[in-house]
mmCIF file of all heavy atoms in Angstrom:
data_model
loop_
_atom_site.group_PDB
_atom_site.id
_atom_site.type_symbol
_atom_site.label_atom_id
_atom_site.label_comp_id
_atom_site.label_asym_id
_atom_site.label_seq_id
_atom_site.Cartn_x
_atom_site.Cartn_y
_atom_site.Cartn_z
ATOM 1 N N LEU A 31 -36.068 -125.179 30.970
ATOM 2 C CA LEU A 31 -35.103 -126.252 30.842
ATOM 3 C C LEU A 31 -35.802 -127.600 30.591
ATOM 4 O O LEU A 31 -35.300 -128.472 29.903
ATOM 5 C CB LEU A 31 -34.237 -126.283 32.067
ATOM 6 C CG LEU A 31 -33.338 -125.040 32.274
ATOM 7 C CD1 LEU A 31 -32.723 -125.055 33.637
ATOM 8 C CD2 LEU A 31 -32.287 -124.968 31.131
ATOM 9 N N LEU A 32 -36.944 -127.788 31.189
ATOM 10 C CA LEU A 32 -37.755 -128.983 30.896
ATOM 11 C C LEU A 32 -38.053 -129.120 29.427
ATOM 12 O O LEU A 32 -37.914 -130.185 28.836
ATOM 13 C CB LEU A 32 -39.027 -128.997 31.740
ATOM 14 C CG LEU A 32 -40.092 -129.989 31.341
ATOM 15 C CD1 LEU A 32 -39.605 -131.403 31.600
ATOM 16 C CD2 LEU A 32 -41.404 -129.722 32.159
ATOM 17 N N LYS A 33 -38.487 -128.020 28.822
ATOM 18 C CA LYS A 33 -38.807 -128.037 27.408
ATOM 19 C C LYS A 33 -37.615 -128.374 26.526
ATOM 20 O O LYS A 33 -37.740 -129.147 25.522
ATOM 21 C CB LYS A 33 -39.493 -126.711 26.986
ATOM 22 C CG LYS A 33 -40.846 -126.509 27.547
ATOM 23 C CD LYS A 33 -41.434 -125.186 27.249
ATOM 24 C CE LYS A 33 -42.797 -125.071 27.877
ATOM 25 N NZ LYS A 33 -43.316 -123.670 27.882
ATOM 26 N N GLU A 34 -36.446 -127.838 26.918
ATOM 27 C CA GLU A 34 -35.241 -128.239 26.198
ATOM 28 C C GLU A 34 -34.893 -129.714 26.374
ATOM 29 O O GLU A 34 -34.550 -130.391 25.431
ATOM 30 C CB GLU A 34 -34.034 -127.356 26.746
ATOM 31 C CG GLU A 34 -32.768 -127.684 26.038
ATOM 32 C CD GLU A 34 -32.699 -127.436 24.531
ATOM 33 O OE1 GLU A 34 -33.461 -126.600 24.012
ATOM 34 O OE2 GLU A 34 -31.896 -128.145 23.819
ATOM 35 N N TRP A 35 -35.002 -130.229 27.586
ATOM 36 C CA TRP A 35 -34.826 -131.657 27.836
ATOM 37 C C TRP A 35 -35.739 -132.500 26.952
ATOM 38 O O TRP A 35 -35.352 -133.537 26.467
ATOM 39 C CB TRP A 35 -34.929 -131.971 29.327
ATOM 40 C CG TRP A 35 -34.591 -133.357 29.656
ATOM 41 C CD1 TRP A 35 -33.325 -133.860 29.838
ATOM 42 C CD2 TRP A 35 -35.469 -134.460 29.886
ATOM 43 N NE1 TRP A 35 -33.395 -135.153 30.181
ATOM 44 C CE2 TRP A 35 -34.737 -135.551 30.222
ATOM 45 C CE3 TRP A 35 -36.863 -134.496 29.887
ATOM 46 C CZ2 TRP A 35 -35.310 -136.830 30.532
ATOM 47 C CZ3 TRP A 35 -37.499 -135.724 30.242
ATOM 48 C CH2 TRP A 35 -36.673 -136.853 30.483
ATOM 49 N N LEU A 36 -36.979 -132.101 26.903
ATOM 50 C CA LEU A 36 -37.974 -132.866 26.103
ATOM 51 C C LEU A 36 -37.622 -132.811 24.641
ATOM 52 O O LEU A 36 -37.838 -133.776 23.933
ATOM 53 C CB LEU A 36 -39.423 -132.365 26.346
ATOM 54 C CG LEU A 36 -40.004 -132.631 27.711
ATOM 55 C CD1 LEU A 36 -41.321 -131.881 27.965
ATOM 56 C CD2 LEU A 36 -40.239 -134.165 27.869
ATOM 57 N N LYS A 37 -37.108 -131.711 24.134
ATOM 58 C CA LYS A 37 -36.694 -131.628 22.707
ATOM 59 C C LYS A 37 -35.573 -132.610 22.483
ATOM 60 O O LYS A 37 -35.485 -133.258 21.420
ATOM 61 C CB LYS A 37 -36.128 -130.221 22.454
ATOM 62 C CG LYS A 37 -37.123 -129.243 22.073
ATOM 63 C CD LYS A 37 -36.481 -128.006 21.469
ATOM 64 C CE LYS A 37 -36.907 -126.783 22.279
ATOM 65 N NZ LYS A 37 -36.212 -125.576 21.854
ATOM 66 N N GLN A 38 -34.613 -132.754 23.484
ATOM 67 C CA GLN A 38 -33.484 -133.651 23.318
ATOM 68 C C GLN A 38 -33.841 -135.078 23.553
ATOM 69 O O GLN A 38 -33.129 -135.991 23.188
ATOM 70 C CB GLN A 38 -32.373 -133.214 24.315
ATOM 71 C CG GLN A 38 -31.797 -131.894 23.940
ATOM 72 C CD GLN A 38 -30.660 -131.552 24.925
ATOM 73 O OE1 GLN A 38 -30.095 -132.375 25.686
ATOM 74 N NE2 GLN A 38 -30.343 -130.231 24.987
ATOM 75 N N ASN A 39 -34.991 -135.333 24.256
ATOM 76 C CA ASN A 39 -35.422 -136.656 24.627
ATOM 77 C C ASN A 39 -36.876 -136.875 24.203
ATOM 78 O O ASN A 39 -37.774 -136.965 25.103
ATOM 79 C CB ASN A 39 -35.286 -136.861 26.138
ATOM 80 C CG ASN A 39 -33.826 -136.826 26.585
ATOM 81 O OD1 ASN A 39 -33.048 -137.739 26.424
ATOM 82 N ND2 ASN A 39 -33.436 -135.654 27.081
ATOM 83 N N PRO A 40 -37.136 -136.896 22.896
ATOM 84 C CA PRO A 40 -38.571 -136.893 22.430
ATOM 85 C C PRO A 40 -39.310 -138.140 22.870
ATOM 86 O O PRO A 40 -40.556 -138.208 22.845
ATOM 87 C CB PRO A 40 -38.463 -136.781 20.923
ATOM 88 C CG PRO A 40 -37.066 -137.215 20.599
ATOM 89 C CD PRO A 40 -36.225 -136.938 21.791
ATOM 90 N N ASP A 41 -38.641 -139.171 23.244
ATOM 91 C CA ASP A 41 -39.278 -140.385 23.701
ATOM 92 C C ASP A 41 -39.649 -140.414 25.173
ATOM 93 O O ASP A 41 -40.258 -141.361 25.688
ATOM 94 C CB ASP A 41 -38.391 -141.641 23.384
ATOM 95 C CG ASP A 41 -37.055 -141.565 24.065
ATOM 96 O OD1 ASP A 41 -36.482 -140.444 24.218
ATOM 97 O OD2 ASP A 41 -36.556 -142.601 24.508
ATOM 98 N N LYS A 42 -39.348 -139.283 25.870
ATOM 99 C CA LYS A 42 -39.637 -139.227 27.305
ATOM 100 C C LYS A 42 -40.766 -138.242 27.605
ATOM 101 O O LYS A 42 -41.250 -137.554 26.776
ATOM 102 C CB LYS A 42 -38.370 -138.674 28.077
ATOM 103 C CG LYS A 42 -37.092 -139.425 27.811
ATOM 104 C CD LYS A 42 -37.087 -140.706 28.638
ATOM 105 C CE LYS A 42 -35.741 -141.365 28.515
ATOM 106 N NZ LYS A 42 -35.660 -142.609 29.129
ATOM 107 N N GLU A 43 -41.284 -138.350 28.789
ATOM 108 C CA GLU A 43 -42.356 -137.498 29.295
ATOM 109 C C GLU A 43 -41.778 -136.586 30.316
ATOM 110 O O GLU A 43 -40.778 -136.895 30.949
ATOM 111 C CB GLU A 43 -43.513 -138.342 29.845
ATOM 112 C CG GLU A 43 -44.169 -139.217 28.852
ATOM 113 C CD GLU A 43 -45.300 -140.014 29.453
ATOM 114 O OE1 GLU A 43 -45.850 -139.610 30.515
ATOM 115 O OE2 GLU A 43 -45.606 -141.096 28.948
ATOM 116 N N ALA A 44 -42.495 -135.505 30.586
ATOM 117 C CA ALA A 44 -41.994 -134.472 31.545
ATOM 118 C C ALA A 44 -41.756 -135.111 32.920
ATOM 119 O O ALA A 44 -40.802 -134.757 33.596
ATOM 120 C CB ALA A 44 -42.945 -133.348 31.651
ATOM 121 N N LYS A 45 -42.577 -136.045 33.286
ATOM 122 C CA LYS A 45 -42.469 -136.615 34.685
ATOM 123 C C LYS A 45 -41.145 -137.388 34.723
ATOM 124 O O LYS A 45 -40.706 -137.651 35.887
ATOM 125 C CB LYS A 45 -43.662 -137.497 34.955
ATOM 126 C CG LYS A 45 -43.712 -138.690 34.053
ATOM 127 C CD LYS A 45 -44.981 -139.533 34.363
ATOM 128 C CE LYS A 45 -45.089 -140.721 33.431
ATOM 129 N NZ LYS A 45 -46.269 -141.480 33.685
ATOM 130 N N ASN A 46 -40.460 -137.752 33.686
ATOM 131 C CA ASN A 46 -39.211 -138.516 33.672
ATOM 132 C C ASN A 46 -38.001 -137.610 33.904
ATOM 133 O O ASN A 46 -36.896 -138.135 34.010
ATOM 134 C CB ASN A 46 -39.023 -139.274 32.402
ATOM 135 C CG ASN A 46 -40.159 -140.244 32.104
ATOM 136 O OD1 ASN A 46 -40.798 -140.200 31.079
ATOM 137 N ND2 ASN A 46 -40.429 -141.158 33.040
ATOM 138 N N PHE A 47 -38.196 -136.285 33.976
ATOM 139 C CA PHE A 47 -37.071 -135.351 34.059
ATOM 140 C C PHE A 47 -36.491 -135.296 35.474
ATOM 141 O O PHE A 47 -35.327 -134.887 35.598
ATOM 142 C CB PHE A 47 -37.562 -133.953 33.634
ATOM 143 C CG PHE A 47 -36.397 -132.970 33.445
ATOM 144 C CD1 PHE A 47 -35.161 -133.319 33.040
ATOM 145 C CD2 PHE A 47 -36.724 -131.552 33.685
ATOM 146 C CE1 PHE A 47 -34.164 -132.343 32.818
ATOM 147 C CE2 PHE A 47 -35.741 -130.672 33.492
ATOM 148 C CZ PHE A 47 -34.411 -131.008 33.110
ATOM 149 N N ASN A 48 -37.227 -135.758 36.491
ATOM 150 C CA ASN A 48 -36.722 -135.715 37.844
ATOM 151 C C ASN A 48 -35.405 -136.511 37.947
ATOM 152 O O ASN A 48 -35.331 -137.632 37.521
ATOM 153 C CB ASN A 48 -37.799 -136.355 38.753
ATOM 154 C CG ASN A 48 -37.368 -136.238 40.172
ATOM 155 O OD1 ASN A 48 -36.816 -135.230 40.626
ATOM 156 N ND2 ASN A 48 -37.738 -137.198 40.975
ATOM 157 N N LEU A 49 -34.366 -135.877 38.457
ATOM 158 C CA LEU A 49 -33.057 -136.428 38.713
ATOM 159 C C LEU A 49 -32.302 -136.803 37.438
ATOM 160 O O LEU A 49 -31.439 -137.601 37.453
ATOM 161 C CB LEU A 49 -33.136 -137.650 39.648
ATOM 162 C CG LEU A 49 -33.555 -137.338 41.054
ATOM 163 C CD1 LEU A 49 -33.766 -138.551 41.884
ATOM 164 C CD2 LEU A 49 -32.629 -136.319 41.739
ATOM 165 N N GLN A 50 -32.672 -136.235 36.294
ATOM 166 C CA GLN A 50 -32.013 -136.415 35.016
ATOM 167 C C GLN A 50 -31.127 -135.256 34.691
ATOM 168 O O GLN A 50 -31.424 -134.178 35.073
ATOM 169 C CB GLN A 50 -33.049 -136.709 33.906
ATOM 170 C CG GLN A 50 -33.936 -137.897 34.087
ATOM 171 C CD GLN A 50 -33.141 -139.196 34.186
ATOM 172 O OE1 GLN A 50 -32.323 -139.490 33.335
ATOM 173 N NE2 GLN A 50 -33.289 -139.964 35.232
ATOM 174 N N GLU A 51 -30.076 -135.517 33.966
ATOM 175 C CA GLU A 51 -29.190 -134.384 33.595
ATOM 176 C C GLU A 51 -29.588 -133.728 32.258
ATOM 177 O O GLU A 51 -29.994 -134.432 31.307
ATOM 178 C CB GLU A 51 -27.719 -134.987 33.376
ATOM 179 C CG GLU A 51 -27.073 -135.307 34.675
ATOM 180 C CD GLU A 51 -25.620 -135.700 34.477
ATOM 181 O OE1 GLU A 51 -25.123 -135.782 33.216
ATOM 182 O OE2 GLU A 51 -24.948 -135.960 35.434
ATOM 183 N N LEU A 52 -29.412 -132.436 32.247
ATOM 184 C CA LEU A 52 -29.513 -131.684 30.978
ATOM 185 C C LEU A 52 -28.181 -130.940 30.864
ATOM 186 O O LEU A 52 -27.883 -130.103 31.739
ATOM 187 C CB LEU A 52 -30.650 -130.709 31.020
ATOM 188 C CG LEU A 52 -30.683 -129.698 29.860
ATOM 189 C CD1 LEU A 52 -30.901 -130.350 28.492
ATOM 190 C CD2 LEU A 52 -31.740 -128.590 30.087
ATOM 191 N N GLU A 53 -27.391 -131.240 29.872
ATOM 192 C CA GLU A 53 -26.157 -130.560 29.721
ATOM 193 C C GLU A 53 -26.321 -129.174 29.172
ATOM 194 O O GLU A 53 -27.093 -128.951 28.227
ATOM 195 C CB GLU A 53 -25.216 -131.355 28.805
ATOM 196 C CG GLU A 53 -23.817 -130.682 28.727
ATOM 197 C CD GLU A 53 -22.836 -131.533 27.900
ATOM 198 O OE1 GLU A 53 -23.130 -132.653 27.459
ATOM 199 O OE2 GLU A 53 -21.673 -131.027 27.776
ATOM 200 N N ILE A 54 -25.680 -128.232 29.875
ATOM 201 C CA ILE A 54 -25.718 -126.879 29.378
ATOM 202 C C ILE A 54 -24.428 -126.644 28.531
ATOM 203 O O ILE A 54 -23.298 -126.530 29.107
ATOM 204 C CB ILE A 54 -25.754 -125.831 30.604
ATOM 205 C CG1 ILE A 54 -26.898 -126.197 31.550
ATOM 206 C CG2 ILE A 54 -25.823 -124.398 30.055
ATOM 207 C CD1 ILE A 54 -28.230 -126.082 30.975
ATOM 208 N N THR A 55 -24.580 -126.635 27.240
ATOM 209 C CA THR A 55 -23.439 -126.544 26.316
ATOM 210 C C THR A 55 -23.162 -125.111 25.932
ATOM 211 O O THR A 55 -24.022 -124.230 26.118
ATOM 212 C CB THR A 55 -23.697 -127.401 25.113
ATOM 213 O OG1 THR A 55 -24.802 -126.825 24.373
ATOM 214 C CG2 THR A 55 -23.990 -128.871 25.388
ATOM 215 N N LYS A 56 -21.996 -124.884 25.319
ATOM 216 C CA LYS A 56 -21.707 -123.501 24.814
ATOM 217 C C LYS A 56 -22.672 -123.131 23.724
ATOM 218 O O LYS A 56 -23.009 -121.953 23.591
ATOM 219 C CB LYS A 56 -20.273 -123.491 24.294
ATOM 220 C CG LYS A 56 -19.258 -123.374 25.394
ATOM 221 C CD LYS A 56 -17.824 -123.169 24.794
ATOM 222 C CE LYS A 56 -16.886 -122.936 25.851
ATOM 223 N NZ LYS A 56 -15.549 -122.483 25.369
ATOM 224 N N ASP A 57 -23.161 -124.120 22.958
ATOM 225 C CA ASP A 57 -24.158 -123.860 21.930
ATOM 226 C C ASP A 57 -25.484 -123.439 22.491
ATOM 227 O O ASP A 57 -26.202 -122.647 21.865
ATOM 228 C CB ASP A 57 -24.282 -125.040 21.012
ATOM 229 C CG ASP A 57 -23.103 -125.314 20.121
ATOM 230 O OD1 ASP A 57 -22.293 -124.334 19.912
ATOM 231 O OD2 ASP A 57 -22.986 -126.466 19.664
ATOM 232 N N PHE A 58 -25.850 -124.010 23.587
ATOM 233 C CA PHE A 58 -27.125 -123.771 24.270
ATOM 234 C C PHE A 58 -27.108 -122.468 25.067
ATOM 235 O O PHE A 58 -28.139 -121.833 25.283
ATOM 236 C CB PHE A 58 -27.624 -124.977 25.043
ATOM 237 C CG PHE A 58 -28.925 -124.766 25.794
ATOM 238 C CD1 PHE A 58 -30.095 -124.501 25.063
ATOM 239 C CD2 PHE A 58 -28.990 -124.758 27.142
ATOM 240 C CE1 PHE A 58 -31.283 -124.356 25.699
ATOM 241 C CE2 PHE A 58 -30.127 -124.574 27.845
ATOM 242 C CZ PHE A 58 -31.373 -124.366 27.078
#
Side-chain angles (χ1 to χ4, degrees):
L31 295 169
L32 166 64
K33 289 175 182 166
E34 178 62 26
W35 184 81
L36 289 170
K37 276 192 237 175
Q38 294 180 19
N39 298 278
D41 59 323
K42 303 284 186 183
E43 296 179 24
K45 65 183 178 182
N46 301 122
F47 190 33
N48 188 35
L49 296 174
Q50 299 299 307
E51 288 187 356
L52 170 65
E53 185 173 356
I54 309 298
T55 64
K56 283 188 175 188
D57 289 339
F58 178 64

